[in-house]
Amino acid sequence: MRKRYLDNIRWITIILVVIFHIFFYYNNIGTEPMFAGAADYNGKITFAGIFQYFVHPWFMLLLFVVAGMSAKYALQSRTNKEFLRGRVDKLLVPSTLGVLAFGWVGGYVIYLHTASANIPAETPAFVKLIIIWSSGIGALWFCHVLFLATLILILVRKIVSKFSGNKEKTRNRFPLWILFVLMYFIFWGGSHILNMPLITAYRLGIYIPAFLFGYYVFSREDVIEKLKKNVLPLLVMAVAAGIYYISRNYGKNYTEVSVLSRWDLNLYAFLMVLLVLGAGARFLDWHNAFTDYMQRSSFGIYVFHIPVMLVINYLLVDKNLPMGAVYGIEFCGALAGSLLLYEVVRRIPVLRYWILGIRKAR
């Protein structure tokens, strides 16, 4: 039976990702903005700033946990080979061929606005193309890491099945709170290792354990039931941890490993994952026509929103609009443009597979 609350958590989190990127391109708190327009930071506390520090520690971590839980349910009715074939279609193809087919649009905007001024004129054309395509990966780094996590999961499943007689044992041998404490320390420790230099989005040390914990721990009904019953205490702890983390780090570059590996950030992120899963299972386990459509189109929004936003931002350069108007135009344009592109591309043979991982119906 489909877990509707996971569908709702997924598309709602992707909307948070869109809003985060709206502010990110003009962020001047702790880092240099890609597009000018926001007032100088000068120690001011703004809604855009608070929002970025509020969601950045946990929203991608949550998506990896949800992906792990979804993998558990999918593998109950599929073989490893069938599951891997589906992940190749949905993750690997859009994050490789999709970048070549469409992601270059965002990469070209970045090249025009930022990179071209720093590249010598004599640079060979093929090098410029590599820069453009690499810059066009955008949010699809998530697919790269998730596909790697899928390969690791399949390997782990084979090892576990070899020693357990093809049966995965999920029963607790110690209290759940001890398991959560151990998980937090694994997340915190993982945040210090396997981080890609410069491109800090590729945080393998924390995202791969999150995926595996989603599969082996959070997919269990007893764990979710426990979280559902403790939403209020989790809310109090998450708010307290969030206030402490933000008050200690506001103004620092939240994308640097020195911040991402802090104990307070990881505690806040872990508590938010527990809170969202518990609250989601308690309040979001339902669906209607709107949520069904958002669930179907959420990957399209994720794929298209950054190229659309970059084009909008590039067109708004030197227009001297108030930042509130810029944010409003960007949000409406990102959602409308992403949904429009999704509806068009999913109807075009070849492109729908390359960009969205949708195979032709047989």
Side-chain angles (χ1 to χ4, degrees), residues 187-204:
F187 282 147
W188 181 25
S191 69
H192 291 79
I193 62 174
L194 299 179
N195 295 300
M196 289 285 287
L198 300 179
I199 311 175
T200 56
Y202 290 86
R203 304 174 61 210
L204 306 183

Side-chain angles (χ1 to χ4, degrees), residues 255-274:
T255 66
E256 290 185 347
V257 174
S258 60
V259 176
L260 293 171
S261 60
R262 288 178 59 99
W263 71 269
D264 50 354
L265 179 144
N266 285 279
L267 178 61
Y268 167 58
F270 182 59
L271 289 172
M272 282 300 300
V273 169
L274 299 182

Side-chain angles (χ1 to χ4, degrees), residues 13-302:
T13 304
I14 288 175
I15 296 301
L16 292 179
V17 172
V18 173
I19 299 173
F20 169 81
H21 282 134
I22 290 173
F23 297 136
F24 174 78
Y25 288 119
Y26 295 90
N27 173 59
N28 57 5
I29 303 174
T31 186
E32 192 73 21
M34 181 180 295
F35 293 91
D40 292 338
Y41 166 48
N42 293 330
K44 296 180 181 177
I45 297 178
T46 64
F47 174 79
I50 290 294
F51 183 85
Q52 290 171 98
Y53 284 84
F54 167 66
V55 301
H56 186 261
W58 58 267
F59 61 176
M60 298 309 299
L61 187 69
L62 174 65
L63 286 178
F64 277 99
V65 171
V66 169
M69 297 172 68
S70 300
K72 176 70 173 185
Y73 305 132
L75 281 164
Q76 290 176 349
S77 59
R78 301 178 192 175
T79 64
N80 284 343
K81 186 176 180 180
E82 291 170 340
F83 179 70
L84 181 59
R85 185 185 300 119
R87 296 301 85 191
V88 168
D89 291 345
K90 197 65 177 179
L91 300 175
L92 190 59
V93 171
S95 62
T96 52
L97 298 180
V99 174
L100 297 177
F102 183 80
W104 64 268
V105 174
Y108 186 60
V109 173
I110 294 175
Y111 171 79
L112 289 177
H113 185 68
T114 305
S116 60
N118 302 314
I119 297 177
E122 62 273 14
T123 302
F126 78 91
V127 175
K128 294 180 181 179
L129 284 175
I130 292 174
I131 293 172
I132 289 171
W133 276 323
S134 300
S135 301
I137 292 174
L140 291 176
W141 66 265
F142 172 76
C143 297
H144 296 159
V145 180
L146 188 53
F147 185 74
L148 176 60
T150 299
L151 296 178
I152 293 174
L153 171 64
I154 291 175
L155 177 61
V156 171
R157 276 170 52 88
K158 289 184 176 181
I159 295 173
V160 170
S161 64
K162 182 178 180 180
F163 290 98
S164 62
N166 293 320
K167 293 183 179 180
E168 294 178 350
K169 298 179 181 179
T170 58
R171 186 175 58 183
N172 264 343
R173 295 185 178 181
F174 42 82
L176 190 59
W177 70 268
I178 296 180
L179 178 60
F180 284 162
V181 171
L182 292 174
M183 288 171 62
Y184 161 68
F185 280 105
I186 291 174
F187 282 147
W188 181 25
S191 69
H192 291 79
I193 62 174
L194 299 179
N195 295 300
M196 289 285 287
L198 300 179
I199 311 175
T200 56
Y202 290 86
R203 304 174 61 210
L204 306 183
I206 188 169
Y207 289 144
I208 291 177
F211 178 79
L212 295 176
F213 281 132
Y215 181 90
Y216 282 106
V217 178
F218 292 111
S219 62
R220 290 167 34 190
E221 292 299 326
D222 62 318
V223 173
I224 294 300
E225 285 300 318
K226 184 71 70 173
L227 294 178
K228 285 171 62 176
K229 294 177 181 178
N230 290 278
V231 169
L232 184 57
L234 287 171
L235 175 62
V236 173
M237 289 188 291
V239 169
I243 292 174
Y244 181 84
Y245 151 70
I246 294 175
S247 65
R248 300 280 293 182
N249 295 277
Y250 192 83
K252 298 178 182 178
N253 187 348
Y254 53 77
T255 66
E256 290 185 347
V257 174
S258 60
V259 176
L260 293 171
S261 60
R262 288 178 59 99
W263 71 269
D264 50 354
L265 179 144
N266 285 279
L267 178 61
Y268 167 58
F270 182 59
L271 289 172
M272 282 300 300
V273 169
L274 299 182
L275 171 63
V276 174
L277 290 178
R282 185 170 176 177
F283 302 112
L284 296 178
D285 198 20
W286 50 270
H287 71 108
N288 54 32
F290 174 74
T291 61
D292 288 344
Y293 178 75
M294 292 302 294
Q295 180 269 322
R296 291 193 305 271
S297 61
S298 60
F299 185 68
I301 295 173
Y302 189 82

Side-chain angles (χ1 to χ4, degrees), residues 307-342:
V308 170
M309 288 166 58
L310 285 169
V311 171
I312 293 173
N313 285 333
Y314 190 71
L315 295 175
L316 292 178
V317 170
D318 298 327
K319 294 297 188 293
N320 296 319
L321 296 175
M323 285 310 303
V326 172
Y327 291 149
I329 293 171
E330 197 172 359
F331 178 72
C332 295
L335 283 185
S338 297
L339 289 172
L340 177 61
L341 285 169
Y342 166 75

